Each structure stands twice: as C-alpha cells, then as structure tokens.
Amino acid sequence: IYITGCDRVIMTDVEVTGDDEGTGILLADCTDVTLDRPYVHDMKHGDSSSSDPGDDKIQGIWLIRGSRAAINAPVVRSLHAEWSGQAAFNRYTRGIAVSGAENFTITAPLISDVDQGIDISGDENPQYFSIMGGSLEECYTWGVKCANSTQEGSVVGTTAKRCGIAGFVVSAPSTTMTDKAQRIDFIGCKAIATGYGNVWQ
C-alpha cells in the first residue's frame, strides 16, 4: 500500500502480506496520519538462487518525511529474505522504518522475527518522536535503532527480547554530517537475552 503527498490519512485494521521485496505500508510526504492496528506479516524476498541482497529489502511499515503521524498498536512479524541456497530468515528486513518524519508516535508495537525492529534513521533529521511500550522480539540485529541524524525523541517502557546485537542503539553517521543523532531518552526500557542466535558474538 503506497500513499504519497496526502493530508489526513486514516487506516484502521489494515492487513498486508505477500512475497517479494518492498514495503507493506508506505506513507511518503503525508501529514496528519493515523494507523490503528496495522498488521503486516509473512513477507519474503528472493529464493535459493538469489544473490546476497546486501541491504534492507523489506519494510513492514515505512514513514518517509511528512509530519504528525500516529502508529497505534502495530503488529509486524516474519519478514524474511532468502539467497544462495539457504533457508529464508529475517535478515535485511525492518519492522517499522522512519526516514525524515517529524512529530510522530509509535504506541504499543508488537514486532517479531525481523532484522531491525524499529529503524529511525536516514539523513533528513527525523525528530520529535516517541515510542511507547510494546515489545520487539527475535530481531536479527537491533530492536530499536536511532541512527545518523535522528534527534529529539524518547523510548519509554519498551522491551527488546532476543535481539542479536543490541536491544537499543544510538549511532552517528559513518560520513561527516552537520547534524548527528542526539538528545534521545530511554526511560524504563529493558533489553533481555541479547546476542540471540549467537551470530554477533
């Protein structure tokens, strides 16, 4: 589902599933967005003859720029990639991705079996946000990631279970940028059983 350049977008109990790379629900340059109980699940990119994709290929929900978005009680699970004769698994997928958006909230997310649970990053200053409650489980790399130029946010009462590298991470860009990730609060969060799968020892 792809919606761009719209004001006042409302989705209630929308379900997306299916194979191939891409995004379940994508909202670009939209204002005043409400997603209530979106459910994105069981998407897979590639097959045993595919080459290593090398980067993210599937996003469950993706906000690109725009302002004033509320994602309430999202469920995203089982986003997989397959390549080079191996079985499909959750590498190169993101449950919820945010690039450049401002003034957004993600409340009570339930995200599992993806690579990155919630990825707030990019070089367009995503800012003024909150993630409240919820659980991120069995993420191949990160539970909640705030990277590059992400600023002015809070993550409150969120639990990350069995995430491969870390439950929560804030990182600066790898290249020189004027604005870097900063001023992000983590309050009452828990990271449990990191190092899941023994891939990132």
Side-chain angles (χ1 to χ4, degrees):
I1 298 174
Y2 185 107
I3 297 176
T4 181
C6 293
D7 293 330
R8 198 66 191 111
V9 178
I10 301 173
M11 291 189 190
T12 304
D13 295 317
V14 171
E15 179 178 1
V16 179
T17 188
D19 289 344
D20 214 345
E21 66 184 89
T23 303
I25 299 171
L26 188 151
L27 295 150
D29 299 300
C30 294
T31 303
D32 293 324
V33 172
T34 302
L35 302 184
D36 286 330
R37 299 177 301 278
Y39 179 32
V40 183
H41 63 98
D42 296 291
M43 297 173 67
K44 182 180 77 71
H45 166 254
D47 55 37
S48 60
S49 64
S50 300
S51 58
D52 185 339
D55 203 353
D56 301 315
K57 291 295 180 182
I58 294 176
Q59 287 71 231
I61 300 168
W62 196 357
L63 294 179
I64 302 175
R65 296 175 302 274
S67 182
R68 299 191 301 274
I71 303 176
N72 303 315
V75 177
V76 182
R77 64 170 177 82
S78 300
L79 308 182
H80 292 170
E82 182 178 4
W83 69 90
S84 300
Q86 65 179 13
F89 73 113
N90 58 13
R91 187 67 163 126
Y92 302 128
T93 66
R94 299 184 291 182
I96 297 176
V98 182
S99 309
E102 296 186 351
N103 301 305
F104 61 91
T105 63
I106 302 171
T107 304
L110 295 178
I111 300 174
S112 62
D113 193 19
V114 300
D115 189 338
Q116 302 176 48
I118 297 175
D119 178 14
I120 303 172
S121 61
D123 57 1
E124 299 178 276
N125 293 32
Q127 58 187 339
Y128 309 119
F129 67 91
S130 63
I131 299 169
M132 295 175 288
S135 178
L136 314 161
E137 300 184 4
E138 297 180 13
C139 299
Y140 187 80
T141 52
W142 316 104
V144 174
K145 178 179 114 181
C146 299
N148 296 350
S149 61
T150 301
Q151 302 178 48
E152 306 289 358
S154 61
V155 184
V156 181
T158 301
T159 301
K161 302 176 183 177
R162 299 184 299 279
C163 295
I165 302 181
F168 305 89
V169 63
V170 179
S171 62
S174 58
T175 58
T176 302
M177 290 175 59
T178 302
D179 298 314
K180 301 185 185 302
Q182 58 189 317
R183 296 185 300 276
I184 300 166
D185 296 325
F186 294 85
I187 303 167
C189 295
K190 294 182 180 181
I192 300 169
T194 54
Y196 174 73
N198 296 319
V199 176
W200 300 105
Q201 293 182 9

